[in-house]
């Protein structure tokens, strides 16, 4: 019997699920090895009988909690899919503003119709077994992680910084282009996606374990930047970790 997998979404743009849909040729191999029983972005049929759950999005409402806990209870393996689910993502920017103001800004005179609370990653609510980082996720990494799970192996997610992949690619350091980059302390695995196209790393894959913050400070100092400037960059994706402290 094929393993049954399901996809779920909470607060997000659903771009990570779209990356899965866009797998095209690679998806045929995945579909051949599993039964996808729930995937709102790709199919209408659904079942609550599944063993592996991929969950995209952050938790932003009280009523999200019982739904996520029910998914956790059913799934033997739960995988956080993308930056919003893994680290809170851009939704956590609202945590730095009065939530009443945020709600009125978004919904106007209908603000009272919609509940909200401080955004958080899914592991702030339930235990998570594995993480597929990024905004959006990298398609190749999704395939690699899924194949490892189907083989009963622990997926290997890089623990070194984006700078390593940037050097392997032969990129010019974006600091030399006048940008502020979080690559020295951000988890690799994207193939230095943004710096390769002359953009800075904004930290969407989260921090590496035990980040060398002193080295990052030295880099910032070398290019005339402050720690405060770097922290403001981190808030785009890592605002939850700042609030959690």
């Amino acid at each position: 019997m094929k393993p049954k997998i399901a996809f779920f979404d909470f607060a997000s743009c659903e771009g990570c699920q779209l990356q899965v849909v866009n797998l095209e040729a690679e998806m045929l191999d995945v579909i051949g090895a599993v039964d996808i029983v729930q995937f709102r972005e790709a199919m209408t049929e659904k079942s609550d009988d599944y063993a592996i759950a991929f969950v995209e999005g952050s938790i932003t409402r009280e009523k999200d909690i019982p739904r996520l806990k029910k998914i956790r209870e059913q799934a033997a393996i739960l995988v956080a899919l993308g930056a919003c689910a893994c680290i809170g993502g851009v939704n956590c920017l609202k945590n730095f503003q009065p939530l009443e103001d945020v709600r009125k800004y978004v919904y106007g005179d209908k603000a009272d119709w919609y509940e909200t609370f401080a955004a958080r990653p899914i592991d702030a609510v339930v235990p998570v077994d594995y993480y597929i980082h990024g905004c959006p996720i990298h398609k190749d990494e999704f395939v690699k992680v899924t194949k490892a799970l189907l083989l009963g192996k622990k997926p290997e997610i890089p623990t070194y910084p984006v700078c390593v992949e940037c050097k392997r690619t032969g990129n010019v350091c974006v600091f030399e282009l006048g940008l502020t980059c979080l690559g020295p302390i951000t988890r690799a695995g994207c193939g230095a996606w943004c710096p390769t196209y002359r953009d800075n790393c904004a930290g969407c894959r989260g921090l590496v374990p035990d980040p060398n913050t002193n080295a990052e400070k030295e880099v910032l100092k070398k290019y005339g930047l402050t720690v405060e400037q770097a922290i403001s960059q981190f808030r785009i994706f890592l605002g939850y970790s700042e609030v959690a402290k």
Side-chain angles (χ1 to χ4, degrees):
M1 181 179 295
K2 297 177 182 177
K4 296 179 180 178
I5 70 173
F7 292 82
F8 300 93
D9 47 79
F10 288 87
S12 64
C13 69
E14 301 189 15
C16 293
Q17 292 177 85
L18 187 60
Q19 284 286 81
V20 177
V21 173
N22 286 339
L23 278 168
E24 299 168 348
E26 296 92 335
M27 193 63 181
L28 294 177
D29 291 337
V30 175
I31 290 175
V34 302
D35 280 334
I36 300 176
V37 300
Q38 190 166 163
F39 193 171
R40 185 179 59 80
E41 197 160 303
M43 56 192 280
T44 54
E45 303 82 3
K46 66 176 184 179
S47 166
D48 290 327
D49 179 17
Y50 49 85
I52 302 174
F54 292 92
V55 179
E56 180 184 9
S58 56
I59 305 306
T60 62
R61 302 174 300 181
E62 192 73 37
K63 69 180 183 183
D64 291 338
I65 293 177
R67 178 181 172 229
L68 179 59
K69 286 183 175 178
K70 185 178 179 182
I71 293 169
R72 174 69 274 188
E73 289 172 2
Q74 171 62 34
I77 297 173
L78 190 148
V79 183
L81 191 67
C84 293
C86 291
I87 56 178
V90 296
N91 292 320
C92 291
L93 287 173
K94 76 173 184 180
N95 298 355
F96 296 94
Q97 307 292 330
L99 293 181
E100 280 301 309
D101 292 351
V102 171
R103 202 162 49 161
K104 289 178 181 177
Y105 181 82
V106 175
Y107 300 112
D109 61 359
K110 304 298 187 298
D112 291 341
W113 293 14
Y114 302 94
E115 62 167 312
T116 190
F117 66 9
R120 62 205 66 184
I122 63 173
D123 65 5
V125 180
V126 299
V128 170
D129 299 302
Y130 301 107
Y131 299 82
I132 302 178
H133 296 273
C135 179
I137 61 167
H138 202 284
K139 291 188 291 185
D140 292 345
E141 190 169 48
F142 174 83
V143 173
K144 183 177 72 174
V145 170
T146 301
K147 287 181 176 178
L149 294 177
L150 296 179
L151 292 170
K153 297 180 178 178
K154 181 180 178 180
E156 293 184 7
I157 303 296
T159 56
Y160 48 82
V162 171
C163 284
V164 174
E165 293 180 332
C166 220
K167 290 179 179 177
R168 286 175 181 166
T169 307
N171 292 335
V172 174
C173 178
V174 296
F175 277 108
E176 298 291 340
L177 303 177
L179 301 174
T180 303
C181 187
L182 299 177
I185 50 178
T186 296
R187 183 189 300 272
C190 59
W193 213 347
C194 295
T196 297
Y197 292 96
R198 297 292 191 269
D199 200 357
N200 62 326
C201 171
C204 75
R205 293 180 61 85
L207 294 171
V208 291
D210 193 21
N212 191 340
T213 53
N214 288 331
E216 174 72 0
K217 289 177 182 177
E218 287 298 316
V219 172
L220 293 172
K221 183 179 179 181
K222 177 181 176 181
Y223 291 96
L225 300 167
T226 66
V227 172
E228 287 72 23
Q229 286 172 307
I231 289 175
S232 68
Q233 294 280 320
F234 261 126
R235 280 187 176 179
I236 297 174
F237 290 105
L238 284 164
Y240 179 74
S241 63
E242 187 179 341
V243 173
K245 291 177 181 177

